[in-house]
């Protein structure tokens, strides 16, 4: 077989493929591996550095390389391998499926992302890229994100629910073409300073989760997205930063509402982006070639 | 106002913002500008080189720059400006909206893409990234793609329908949160060699369009996605290439079916990716924190 393929290929445990967009060294992915590795063998293939905002991008023109960083047996007996790739989050999944996984994984997990992937962030998120890629390969896939961008974010409160969801998905699967986008609000005491709050990050401190809500994506918009700077050599350049506005803050069935009210938001997300509701209108145009 | 903002800002024609993922010099975008510039002023802001497969990616960590290449008045009296940006297709739209457009455009157009953006390619396509970004900004947005990857592809047969759709969308708009993904089959005589046929490219030659179909996204899968090579310095690397399989070739309501049967495929596409059909199942799990 392939020289790079994992040495645990004969073992009959479930196989979990994990990636992210913060890079293989991020705290979020490291803790995720530790949280779920007793459910099965774990193959991590994640970007060699941060790739936030990479969406479902893949590398059409970059030669890709793989590096194995770690191979170990967890206390549970599961085998864990940590690989990095110089490509996008989606490249990582494609490379792992083609070159590293001994067989089709039982589950693909993206995360734990350092930051919110609710509302329209779904479209930009590399963590969701991982999950959508898994789903497009007909593998049950879930993204976990915490509304806290800090490198040292505290992921420990997420553990029980991440374990429940992983166990459930391994047992029952998910409908074909559907993956889960799971976002956790940030816990902390009021006034601790929730400075980084794109969609849905708590306005006030949340001491404990209010519960779990199965939600829809909120309608929201990013604005003030570019900041102009002047280079010492005399030209202008711009950084992408922005501020998010929830365009339907009163809608209690949305992920943004859930997160700002202390709930964990689970948004079932689908590959099929056809706008069925608009088909009759476009048909009525009776376009001719 | 801003030094970079277009000089045609006072003029009251409709404003069309055009971008792509093949780069501002590609034949497809050049011809698109020529096809639609009599409907309004045109601002092109497109990548400085090809960015195929960039999806909705934006540049979180790259400083962005803009270059103006051309400013001219078309025969119709419309003003046209051609800009490039060193970022992704989505960056181009965000930069144009923030820094170049004198006001909110009346329409965003992605394309004309050199290659097929049907089925799951929707998720990878930078041309669709442009269109989804426009749609997320509540601007009527359309992507045009031709199932022909060649640099010198013949876009002329697309002209009448591109003009009809542009005129219609400028007049009537589109439902909020819905954009159009329009794919054209490649015309040519049988046996001319349809070597590049990802989703939906014609198996046989199509002499003329069979008509226009309003479609849904086909279910399809990319496989054999990586090709391993050996570097002269002694390490392995991989290129992303792949072959597409239509997983429901008999489904006559899909974009893939339309394209392989000579129809232009119009897929209304939505921003909301919530899988409403799966919500009850996930709720039945009764997850608790």
């Amino acid at each position: 077989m392939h020289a790079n393929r994992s040495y645990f290929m004969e073992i009959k445990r479930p196989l979990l493929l994990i990636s992210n967009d913060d890079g293989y060294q991020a705290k979020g992915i490291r803790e995720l591996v530790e949280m779920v590795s007793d459910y099965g063998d774990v193959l991590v293939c994640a970007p060699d550095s941060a790739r936030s905002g990479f969406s479902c991008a893949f590398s059409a023109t970059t030669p890709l390389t793989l590096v194995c960083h770690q191979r170990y047996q967890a206390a549970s007996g599961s085998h864990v391998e940590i690989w990095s790739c110089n490509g996008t989050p989606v490249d990582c999944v494609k490379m792992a499926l083609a070159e590293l996984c001994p067989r089709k994984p039982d589950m693909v997990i993206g995360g734990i992302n350092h930051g919110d992937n609710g509302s329209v962030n779904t479209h930009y998120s590399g963590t969701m890229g991982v999950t959508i890629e898994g789903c497009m390969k007909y593998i049950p896939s879930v993204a976990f994100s915490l509304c806290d961008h800090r490198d040292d974010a505290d992921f420990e409160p997420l553990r029980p629910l991440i374990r429940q969801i992983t166990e459930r998905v391994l047992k029952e699967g998910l409908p074909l073409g559907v993956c889960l986008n799971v976002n956790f609000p940030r816990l902390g005491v009021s006034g601790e300073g929730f400075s980084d709050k794109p969609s849905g990050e708590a306005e006030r401190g949340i001491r404990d989760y209010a519960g779990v809500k199965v939600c829809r994506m909120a309608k929201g918009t990013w604005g003030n997205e570019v900041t102009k700077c002047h280079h010492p050599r005399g030209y202008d350049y711009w950084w992408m930063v922005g501020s998010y506005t929830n365009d339907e803050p009163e809608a209690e069935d949305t992920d943004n509402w859930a997160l700002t009210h202390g709930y964990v938001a689970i948004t079932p997300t689908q590959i099929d982006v056809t706008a069925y509701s608009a088909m009759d209108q476009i048909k009525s145009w009776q376009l001719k070639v």
Side-chain angles (χ1 to χ4, degrees), chain A:
Chain A
M1 291 294 293
H2 196 287
N4 283 305
R5 274 187 203 279
S6 163
Y7 72 99
F8 56 67
M9 55 187 302
E10 273 75 41
I11 298 181
K12 295 302 180 203
R13 292 187 196 87
L15 176 60
L16 308 175
L17 171 58
I18 294 180
S19 192
N20 73 351
D21 68 3
D22 295 313
Y24 78 100
Q25 292 184 300
K27 188 181 179 201
I29 196 167
R30 294 274 165 171
E31 298 212 0
L32 175 60
V33 170
E34 191 273 311
M35 286 178 194
V36 301
S37 59
D38 60 320
Y39 290 122
D41 294 326
V42 173
L43 195 138
V44 171
C45 183
D48 56 11
S49 60
R51 298 288 196 293
S52 288
F54 265 68
S55 185
C56 290
F58 72 93
S59 297
T61 56
T62 310
L64 298 175
T65 52
L66 290 168
V67 177
C68 185
H69 298 277
Q70 237 183 316
R71 282 188 159 126
Y72 62 92
Q73 190 163 18
S76 62
S78 296
H79 291 270
V80 177
E81 288 195 13
I82 315 282
W83 292 76
S84 71
C85 172
N86 62 329
T88 68
V90 160
D91 290 338
C92 290
V93 175
K94 290 181 186 291
M95 286 290 284
L97 292 176
E99 294 293 315
L100 302 177
C101 290
R103 58 195 169 76
K104 189 168 180 172
D106 298 279
M107 186 171 173
V108 170
I109 312 183
I112 306 170
N113 189 61
H114 294 241
D116 178 0
N117 280 324
S119 180
V120 292
N121 297 349
T122 304
H123 288 285
Y124 301 120
S125 162
T127 305
M128 281 306 294
V130 166
T131 306
I132 288 168
E133 183 64 25
C135 191
M136 288 203 281
K137 294 291 188 287
Y138 305 122
I139 303 168
S141 299
V142 178
F144 295 115
S145 304
L146 171 61
C147 297
D148 187 344
H149 284 85
R150 294 174 301 179
D151 289 344
D152 66 344
D154 179 13
F155 296 99
E156 196 51 39
L158 288 61
R159 180 187 293 266
L161 192 60
I162 284 179
R163 286 180 57 82
Q164 276 179 72
I165 292 172
T166 303
E167 196 172 341
R168 195 89 190 205
V169 170
L170 281 172
K171 196 176 295 171
E172 296 186 22
L174 285 168
L176 275 190
V178 174
C179 55
L180 300 183
N181 181 10
V182 183
N183 285 278
F184 290 81
R186 173 178 161 192
L187 300 183
V189 291
S190 188
E192 201 191 280
F194 291 83
S195 56
D196 54 343
K197 51 173 174 66
S199 76
E201 286 198 29
E203 299 291 338
R204 53 192 162 67
I206 294 167
R207 285 192 178 272
D208 208 353
Y209 299 126
V212 179
K213 277 205 180 270
V214 180
C215 310
R216 67 173 174 88
M217 253 179 81
K219 292 182 183 68
T221 332
W222 282 90
N224 304 313
E225 292 181 286
V226 305
T227 298
K228 187 175 173 179
C229 299
H230 196 70
H231 194 280
R233 291 205 191 276
Y235 62 88
D236 293 329
Y237 65 95
W238 287 263
W239 292 112
M240 284 280 160
V241 282
S243 53
Y244 173 84
T245 304
N246 179 355
D247 293 332
E248 43 177 356
E250 306 305 320
E252 298 189 9
D253 58 343
T254 65
D255 50 5
N256 280 181
W257 191 94
L259 290 166
T260 49
H261 290 78
Y263 291 87
V264 180
I266 303 183
T267 311
T269 299
Q270 64 188 33
I271 300 305
D272 183 0
V273 290
T274 309
Y276 292 96
S277 64
M279 292 182 91
D280 285 344
Q281 181 181 340
I282 309 303
K283 281 179 186 169
S284 78
W285 289 358
Q286 300 192 305
L287 296 163
K288 303 267 181 252
V289 278

